[in-house]
Amino acid sequence: MHLHLRDGEMLDSVAPLSAKYFSGAIIMPNLIPPVTDKDMLISYRDRIYNAIGDEVFEPYMTLFFKTDYDYDFLKSIRDDLTAIKLYPAGITTNSESGVEGFDIDELKPILDTMSELGIPLCIHGESNGFVMDREAEFIPIYEKLATAFPNLKIIMEHITTAKSVEALEKYENLYATITLHHLMITLDDVAGGMLKPHLFCKPIAKRPEDREALLRVALSAHPKVMFGSDSAPHPKHTKEAPGCAAGIFTAPIALPLLTELFEKHNSLDNLQNFVSTNAQKIYNITPTKKQVVLEKGDMDIPLLYGDVVPMMAGKKCSWNLITLRA
Ligand code: DOR
Ligand code: ZN
């Protein structure tokens, strides 16, 4: 429920890897330039369909949040849209034209309209403070929005902290996505030894107790949390560089690794809800059913998919994807 497919050659190379194993995904709009009007959204969706060929896969499209979207525009695009994604300005990859300051009066017209049209708001919730504190510093903004717009579904994207789990449980209209990598790693894995650029992402991985809190709600398939991989491909040379791009590529390996993780914690019965059913209820979507068969047995994680290094490149996973039935 949170996927970066990019555009052009990268789209052609990564989209089939998701379409093969998933029946749909919420597609992020942070292209250059970001997806901000109907033509851009429809033509991007067409390019995604083109890239996936014959696979059955629903790209659930999002717009890049702008305060000047009005009722007529959102009404005209409602049926082609699943959510709107809000980025604070400059907080991550291609987010320069995001929101500055969070003035409720300025946000009110569009958030009232979204509430009325039933369009969920997905938020990259980070302040521009100290990197380890950014998510926690954003929580008062989540609380302000959740209280001021009780009929707006707000998705706290890729939560990484125990504090976000607390906020999620406190406000009825807050929901959250959790990535695979934030369930697996802490900051120690990124920077505790040799620096690992392929584990560098935003929000940065946090402390062991934060990961524990995320595991608790993910492994129990808390009904307000959904799997959102935030799989974010960057070409190898932009990761293995002095200025390393933020983003971890997990799309093709997410299911076997999640299965391994849920098995390790005796929670396999909850995997279906975490990966799929919860999201269908929260977003009120019904993707075409696709059956994915996982088999116990070693899978070698490739060193590269095209020009992109996946998480755990060269390592093994104890579950393998063997058969797919539509
Ligand atoms: O690590 C990240 N990469 N976090 C984001 O929020 C954006 C993403 C990307 O687009 O590369
Ligand atoms: Zn993302």
Side-chain angles (χ1 to χ4, degrees):
M1 289 297 111
H2 181 136
L3 181 66
H4 296 270
L5 288 179
R6 315 299 192 205
D7 213 342
E9 277 177 29
M10 183 63 96
L11 169 65
D12 291 339
S13 133
V14 300
L17 299 171
S18 280
K20 207 166 157 191
Y21 303 124
F22 293 88
S23 51
I26 302 274
I27 309 299
M28 289 299 125
N30 61 333
L31 305 181
I32 309 173
V35 180
T36 50
D37 68 33
K38 190 166 177 172
D39 284 349
M40 290 168 110
L41 183 133
I42 304 279
S43 64
Y44 185 35
R45 189 176 60 194
D46 287 344
R47 294 196 297 282
I48 295 170
Y49 278 130
N50 236 336
I52 63 180
D54 292 336
E55 298 288 351
V56 177
F57 178 83
E58 185 71 38
Y60 292 102
M61 304 304 290
T62 63
L63 275 177
F64 188 99
F65 184 94
K66 293 277 197 194
T67 46
D68 55 8
Y69 295 148
D70 64 15
Y71 182 88
D72 289 344
F73 166 65
L74 290 179
K75 181 119 183 70
S76 76
I77 201 171
R78 177 68 192 100
D79 292 346
D80 299 300
L81 187 69
T82 302
I84 297 182
K85 174 75 187 282
L86 185 157
Y87 291 91
I91 203 69
T92 188
T93 312
N94 308 336
S95 63
E96 291 69 23
S97 57
V99 171
E100 309 254 12
F102 279 82
D103 177 358
I104 293 279
D105 290 340
E106 192 193 348
L107 297 171
K108 189 169 167 39
I110 176 173
L111 296 185
D112 279 342
T113 302
M114 288 173 65
S115 304
E116 189 183 333
L117 294 173
I119 302 173
L121 176 68
C122 302
I123 303 186
H124 181 122
E126 287 196 286
S127 71
N128 52 14
F130 180 67
V131 68
M132 287 293 280
D133 298 336
R134 287 177 189 174
E135 186 172 297
E137 285 175 1
F138 197 87
I139 289 175
I141 298 177
Y142 277 129
E143 296 186 322
K144 209 158 71 168
L145 294 173
T147 308
F149 304 97
N151 297 321
L152 182 68
K153 269 189 184 169
I154 300 172
I155 324 286
M156 307 164 77
E157 293 292 340
H158 43 52
I159 57 170
T160 61
T161 58
K163 286 200 168 128
S164 285
V165 172
E166 269 173 42
L168 169 78
E169 290 182 316
K170 214 157 112 199
Y171 294 86
E172 208 177 313
N173 55 332
L174 289 184
Y175 301 84
T177 57
I178 300 181
T179 72
L180 168 65
H181 45 277
H182 292 118
L183 292 173
M184 291 183 65
I185 65 171
T186 67
L187 185 59
D188 237 19
D189 298 291
V190 187
M194 301 265 273
L195 188 65
K196 302 287 191 327
H198 299 293
L199 297 181
F200 174 63
C201 65
K202 300 285 179 65
I204 197 136
K206 304 290 189 314
R207 308 181 63 86
E209 52 271 36
D210 292 309
R211 182 178 58 180
E212 286 307 312
L214 301 178
L215 278 167
R216 179 175 65 77
V217 285
L219 294 169
S220 63
H222 188 300
K224 293 175 89 184
V225 307
M226 334 172 235
F227 173 55
S229 70
D230 199 11
S231 177
H234 290 275
K236 186 171 191 275
H237 73 274
T238 67
K239 295 288 292 173
E240 296 176 6
C244 166
I248 302 182
F249 183 59
T250 52
I253 50 165
L255 278 181
L257 285 172
L258 276 171
T259 309
E260 185 177 70
L261 182 74
F262 274 61
E263 184 195 36
K264 185 172 134 201
H265 293 275
N266 291 319
S267 303
L268 274 179
D269 286 350
N270 291 331
L271 185 59
Q272 171 77 23
N273 283 342
F274 177 62
V275 173
S276 178
T277 318
N278 287 359
Q280 293 182 55
K281 289 184 188 150
I282 293 167
Y283 276 111
N284 201 12
I285 51 176
T286 46
T288 306
K289 279 211 162 73
K290 193 182 262 187
Q291 196 174 47
V292 177
V293 180
L294 289 128
E295 187 185 53
K296 192 99 207 212
D298 273 355
M299 178 184 86
D300 293 312
I301 299 177
L303 292 173
L304 277 172
Y305 287 91
D307 193 17
V308 181
V309 179
M311 183 171 77
M312 306 246 315
K315 305 223 168 86
K316 284 189 193 302
C317 174
S318 61
W319 284 84
N320 218 333
L321 279 162
I322 50 159
T323 322
L324 302 171
R325 278 177 245 137

